[in-house]
Amino acid sequence: MRGGDKPTSRGPSDPVAGTDRRLVLAAAVGAGAVLWANFARGATAQTVRLHDHATHTRLVVELTGPVEFKVRRFADPYRLAIDIPGLEWSGDERSAGTGLISNVQYSRQTSVATSIFVDLKGPVKVAHAFVLPATGTTPTRLVLDLEPSTRELFLAGAEAVPAAKIVPVVAKTSKIEPARKFKIVAIDPGHGGIDPGAIGFSGIYEKEITLAAARQLKTRIEATGRYKAILTRGDDSSVALRQRTEIARHGTADLFISLHADSIRDPGVRGLSVYTLSERASDAEAEALAAKENQADSIIGMDLSHESAEVRNILVDLAQRESRNLATRFAGRLIGELQREARLLSNSHRFAGFAVLKSPDIPSVLIEMGYLSNREDEAALKKEGYRTKLMTAVVRGVDQYFNSAVVARM
Ligand code: ZN
């Protein structure tokens, strides 16, 4: 945008059609003319993601490198243009909207001028607009938060779009290193020490089954030569839930797998299920289970102490959402493999608020390997051979997860 652009028209009878570049409204923003000179090396946009929050709609563009950008506003229909000089595009040229956004499309206007057009369902306020630098596990991201506004404010340009700013992300030193030779998988045997977990049909403790399975998984996964495994406990000791996620973080784990075995009053219920973190832990049954596993631990925080509360919230939300998406992907692969070896519960992918799933930066799943309150499940889980089959399936699921395109580029 040239800083001197002026609105050329304001009338609702003067629509801006399609990708017509007549400006109805132009908001010069922080990344002004000076920055336009500096776009020789362009980045490529890989993915556009939209999240509909209760109070705002967030647009995240994943990029191969840092960019400069500015945001222009148009009315009739309501639309934003995010101008990013030199941007290349490798994703879908058009994607469907959600929340305040009706759709997003990419447009190359000249050889250097490229824009992402965000079609809106109504007038919005751009509450935040910034670029997050890449970290060891996430690409560069351009983030725009849109809140509902009024036509008057939108047209008046009263809310100037905030200057494009770079938010420094706290570096987790261990994760800035170039790609490691091994992926690191944290394996978490549920319960232990004074906490036996569920008590089985014949009296066996859940903590014994989970530790045995975890050791088998560690052996099998390391035997591939592709992974290193960290156990959150290697013996019958008590480890707090928060400590378990800390162990994974200090070990710079790429993936977290918690192993459990359930129990329920009805001895007829059996089958395996895989849990990932719920957005609201709405499912009542899942919530009851979450309460049971949670004890006193709460969410782990990243060290973002020198960031503003607002930025902190955005970063944690983004990280958690990303991890949750990846965990969901992993759970799908796991279930695909585990159903070949084990009987699964109906709705085998479940969502709950377990504390061990709450690492904002490590995709995490919890496997309830079966019901110790069920005679058949208990008998099976006591057998080394059955657990070996299960854990071998988990290794296949881990392989598929890390081989998938989305994860591999990280
Ligand atoms: Zn358990």
Side-chain angles (χ1 to χ4, degrees):
M1 134 109 42
R2 280 68 44 188
D5 277 354
K6 286 200 177 72
T8 55
S9 162
R10 277 181 188 273
S13 57
D14 204 355
V16 175
T19 55
D20 187 322
R21 268 156 282 134
R22 279 181 301 160
L23 290 182
V24 171
L25 252 178
V29 296
V34 180
L35 295 180
W36 277 96
N38 186 23
F39 54 72
R41 46 195 176 86
T44 300
Q46 298 170 310
T47 312
V48 173
R49 287 186 288 127
L50 304 175
H51 310 309
D52 183 22
H53 297 250
T55 54
H56 60 279
T57 301
R58 173 165 297 159
L59 176 139
V60 180
V61 184
E62 296 188 352
L63 300 152
T64 55
V67 294
E68 283 138 12
F69 71 98
K70 58 190 185 315
V71 180
R72 290 179 292 146
R73 281 176 288 176
F74 304 87
D76 309 313
Y78 294 109
R79 160 180 273 195
L80 301 176
I82 308 168
D83 298 334
I84 305 176
L87 182 73
E88 298 289 335
W89 194 263
S90 70
D92 293 338
E93 299 241 322
R94 190 184 179 94
S95 52
T98 184
L100 301 169
I101 296 174
S102 53
N103 77 72
V104 178
Q105 50 190 309
Y106 168 77
S107 166
R108 173 185 290 280
Q109 293 167 30
T110 70
S111 61
V112 291
T114 51
S115 301
I116 298 168
F117 285 108
V118 182
D119 289 324
L120 303 166
K121 291 176 184 165
V124 298
K125 170 185 171 183
V126 181
H128 303 107
F130 53 80
V131 174
L132 293 169
T135 67
T137 54
T138 56
T140 304
R141 285 167 296 177
L142 185 152
V143 179
L144 228 65
D145 279 350
L146 308 179
E147 294 173 1
S149 182
T150 62
R151 177 172 179 84
E152 289 68 34
L153 286 172
F154 188 88
L155 291 179
E159 74 253 355
V161 174
K165 58 179 179 180
I166 304 290
V167 178
V169 172
V170 177
K172 285 164 280 164
T173 42
S174 50
K175 287 207 170 179
I176 316 188
E177 297 156 9
R180 284 186 306 249
K181 209 170 166 190
F182 300 99
K183 294 292 183 187
I184 297 177
V185 179
I187 304 167
D188 174 46
H191 311 279
I194 56 166
D195 170 14
I199 298 173
F201 193 84
S202 73
I204 195 161
Y205 291 160
E206 179 185 354
K207 66 175 184 177
E208 299 170 49
I209 298 286
T210 60
L211 182 58
R215 285 178 172 150
Q216 287 173 279
L217 179 54
K218 177 172 163 54
T219 304
R220 306 225 137 235
I221 208 163
E222 290 189 335
T224 63
R226 293 185 291 278
Y227 310 104
K228 281 191 167 165
I230 304 165
L231 290 179
T232 57
R233 68 176 177 97
D235 55 23
D236 182 25
S237 50
S238 299
V239 183
L241 297 176
R242 192 192 179 99
Q243 225 176 318
R244 296 169 189 256
T245 52
E246 288 287 2
I247 290 166
R249 170 164 300 102
H250 286 140
T252 68
D254 299 292
L255 200 57
F256 183 94
I257 302 171
S258 189
L259 297 173
H260 285 256
D262 212 346
S263 82
I264 194 167
R265 202 169 288 165
D266 179 355
V269 176
R270 57 177 301 201
L272 179 150
S273 54
V274 176
Y275 283 83
T276 57
L277 187 62
S278 69
E279 207 146 336
R280 289 189 185 85
S282 55
D283 171 9
E285 186 195 13
E287 229 170 326
L289 193 51
K292 198 164 69 186
E293 304 282 6
N294 264 353
Q295 307 294 334
D297 289 278
S298 61
I299 189 163
I300 295 278
M302 287 189 282
D303 179 20
L304 300 167
S305 44
H306 60 278
E307 304 292 350
S308 74
E310 205 169 31
V311 167
R312 227 160 38 227
N313 287 344
I314 292 171
L315 289 174
V316 170
D317 177 75
L318 279 173
Q320 219 153 22
R321 206 165 269 274
E322 178 97 356
S323 296
R324 206 157 42 206
N325 291 344
L326 291 171
T328 295
R329 206 175 277 267
F330 176 44
R333 310 283 182 168
L334 270 182
I335 287 166
E337 289 302 327
L338 284 164
Q339 70 189 1
R340 295 164 54 182
E341 312 294 347
R343 184 187 174 118
L344 265 50
L345 274 185
S346 57
N347 302 323
S348 49
H349 182 188
R350 297 175 172 226
F351 301 88
F354 297 127
V356 291
L357 298 178
K358 286 186 176 174
S359 296
D361 51 352
I362 307 173
S364 304
V365 304
L366 184 148
I367 305 175
E368 292 281 3
M369 297 180 286
Y371 283 87
L372 293 182
S373 46
N374 174 268
R375 188 198 297 263
E376 290 97 330
D377 270 9
E378 192 211 37
L381 285 169
K382 282 163 79 173
K383 291 198 186 95
E384 185 176 355
Y386 177 73
R387 293 193 309 263
T388 299
K389 281 204 298 185
L390 287 188
M391 295 305 114
T392 306
V394 171
V395 174
R396 293 198 302 267
V398 169
D399 272 337
Q400 289 186 21
Y401 168 76
F402 282 116
N403 290 338
S404 73
V406 173
V407 177
R409 74 174 157 71
M410 290 185 173

